Amino acid sequence: MTPLNLVFLGAPGAGKGTQAQRLKDDFDLPYVATGDILREAVREGTPLGLEAKGFMDSGALVPDAVVIGLVGERLEQGDTEDGFVLDGFPRTIEQAEALGKELAKMGRTVTAVIFIDVGDEEVVRRLSGRRVCVKDGHSFHVDFDPPKHDDRCDIDGSRLIVRDDDKPDTVRNRLRTFREKTAPLVDYYEKAGVLKRVDGSQAPDEVQGRVRAVLATLRLEEKV
Ligand code: AMP
């Protein structure tokens, strides 16, 4: 089967991570989230983490060269042979071009970019109520997806916290960064003919249904 090289695009809080993770149940593809990789590096205090922390805490992007190198190395690992799901990368035109070149080396292209479209107000509402577990970053929401016990992860029992970059000032910066740097990718991938727009304003199950419908059409296109 042709590899399924998928990218999830969307504002912070649009639900990219939630949807990309759910996709794991449908397709057994490696999930590569640059935000998760960077947060782990920060937790472990590696040189990458030390470099990335300041940018992340202020809601800015980590420099392109750093993130591009990281994703390039990851995609060259053998387990991406049947495809992958990228979450949070690319986030700039330069990153998108680098991804294109990396895939071209393997004789591949981006199969589809799923753009989860959500308005700013909804993003702020979602991020301010988001809680993640310290162990694995499992995500909950105080109103929409509350954990069974207030401050514990349902999945692994670890403590739930507010991500540093979900604090209001940082959220505003992240949204500004998204508009300036990442939103142009919508046009970029539309022109490339691979953009699939999904209304992300509904509950996760409904959005998942729409994502599934998009992926089903991809599989059909492949058979034609
Ligand atoms: P996320 O979990 O995807 O919202 O990412 C959290 C933070 O990690 C972002 O606000 C950025 O500071 C950094 N980050 C994640 N992915 C990228 C990327 N592709 N390019 C630059 N910075 C990134």
Side-chain angles (χ1 to χ4, degrees):
M1 216 186 284
T2 331
L4 207 48
N5 309 319
L6 299 176
V7 170
F8 273 85
L9 182 66
K16 303 183 292 296
T18 304
Q19 294 303 327
Q21 291 264 16
R22 285 174 174 224
L23 211 67
K24 275 187 181 164
D25 301 337
D26 295 342
F27 300 95
D28 188 21
L29 295 174
Y31 167 66
V32 180
T34 41
D36 288 351
I37 298 173
L38 292 168
R39 271 185 293 280
E40 192 180 339
V42 169
R43 264 199 307 274
E44 289 178 355
T46 64
L48 169 67
L50 294 177
E51 184 173 2
K53 186 170 175 12
F55 297 104
M56 295 173 78
D57 285 351
S58 68
L61 293 183
V62 174
D64 282 336
V66 174
V67 189
I68 288 169
L70 197 103
V71 173
E73 268 175 36
R74 180 65 189 83
L75 294 186
E76 278 167 24
Q77 290 172 22
D79 64 341
T80 65
E81 230 173 42
D82 293 333
F84 52 78
V85 180
L86 274 178
D87 166 12
F89 183 95
R91 257 178 157 100
T92 63
I93 296 282
E94 194 174 337
Q95 291 179 17
E97 286 174 347
L99 175 64
K101 284 191 196 135
E102 180 67 32
L103 290 177
K105 280 201 261 173
M106 308 181 215
R108 289 157 60 173
T109 56
V110 170
T111 317
V113 174
I114 300 168
F115 171 45
I116 313 236
D117 198 3
V118 173
D120 283 7
E121 262 174 48
E122 178 66 14
V123 162
V124 173
R125 214 155 64 96
R126 289 185 185 181
L127 292 183
S128 55
R130 176 157 73 178
R131 301 290 181 269
V132 295
C133 81
V134 288
K135 183 160 180 287
D136 251 344
H138 296 126
S139 186
F140 300 85
H141 192 283
V142 289
D143 301 321
F144 312 132
D145 181 20
K148 291 197 185 76
H149 307 283
D150 263 0
D151 57 349
R152 293 280 150 195
C153 174
D154 290 356
I155 299 162
D156 59 36
S158 72
R159 202 159 48 87
L160 294 178
I161 54 163
V162 176
R163 257 169 61 170
D164 281 343
D165 59 353
D166 281 347
K167 310 221 159 113
D169 278 354
T170 312
V171 166
R172 273 190 284 280
N173 280 340
R174 288 166 71 201
L175 271 174
R176 195 175 315 127
T177 306
F178 173 76
R179 260 184 248 115
E180 285 170 12
K181 305 266 175 61
T182 310
L185 291 180
V186 172
D187 251 14
Y188 177 92
Y189 282 120
E190 198 141 43
K191 287 198 181 106
V194 291
L195 192 85
K196 310 284 174 186
R197 197 182 288 263
V198 169
D199 174 4
S201 61
Q202 308 296 316
D205 284 350
E206 280 169 51
V207 180
Q208 184 178 12
R210 291 171 195 199
V211 170
R212 278 188 170 149
V214 164
L215 293 174
T217 63
L218 286 181
R219 286 300 195 199
L220 282 177
E221 283 165 20
E222 200 181 283
K223 284 188 196 124
V224 181

